[in-house]
Amino acid sequence: MRQIPVDTAAMTVMLIQAPEKKVKNRETGEVATDRQSGQVLYNVNVAVIVDGRPDAVTIVVAEDGIQPDLMPGMPVELPGLVARPWENDFGHGISYRAIAVAARQLTSAGSNGEA
């Protein structure tokens, strides 16, 4: 499947709600897992803000990539974020996947990064 890397440098990403297990089959409640690692997949709902305009986006992250103490409203980082175009009999769109979701390390205003 084609993957397009997403550069998040020009955007602010904030967690909307706590990550939730991705459901593969709504009728049975079966949880989605990664095909290669077997880990449980999570939907991570974030607000992506570019040029002052927010959009809600769902990012899929495997269980081991989720920082445990995430809180809604906190700025987060999405290392390894890729977009994956998809199409099937029911429609088409873009899904997003990241290696991890972690609290963004904020630096103080005017700091040059030195202690």
Side-chain angles (χ1 to χ4, degrees):
M1 180 182 297
R2 184 173 171 203
Q3 295 186 42
I4 303 165
V6 177
D7 181 6
T8 59
M11 60 182 78
T12 299
V13 183
M14 296 182 73
L15 189 67
I16 294 175
Q17 66 185 46
E20 296 180 342
K21 290 181 182 178
K22 180 177 178 164
V23 177
K24 182 177 181 177
N25 183 326
R26 289 189 178 119
E27 290 180 16
T28 65
E30 180 184 2
V31 174
T33 56
D34 183 80
R35 289 183 181 143
Q36 290 154 336
S37 70
Q39 289 190 40
V40 173
L41 296 176
Y42 281 74
N43 285 328
V44 179
N45 294 312
V46 297
V48 175
I49 305 165
V50 179
D51 295 330
R53 297 178 181 205
D55 282 303
V57 178
T58 300
I59 313 293
V60 175
V61 179
E63 186 171 24
D64 73 344
I66 297 177
Q67 181 177 320
D69 57 347
L70 295 174
M71 300 287 290
M74 72 180 1
V76 293
E77 295 177 342
L78 299 165
L81 181 62
V82 294
R84 296 177 175 175
W86 61 268
E87 183 175 359
N88 61 29
D89 293 340
F90 305 106
H92 62 277
I94 299 173
S95 63
Y96 297 92
R97 177 101 185 237
I99 295 169
V101 58
R104 184 170 161 217
Q105 300 301 315
L106 300 177
T107 57
S108 59
S111 171
N112 62 5
E114 294 179 16

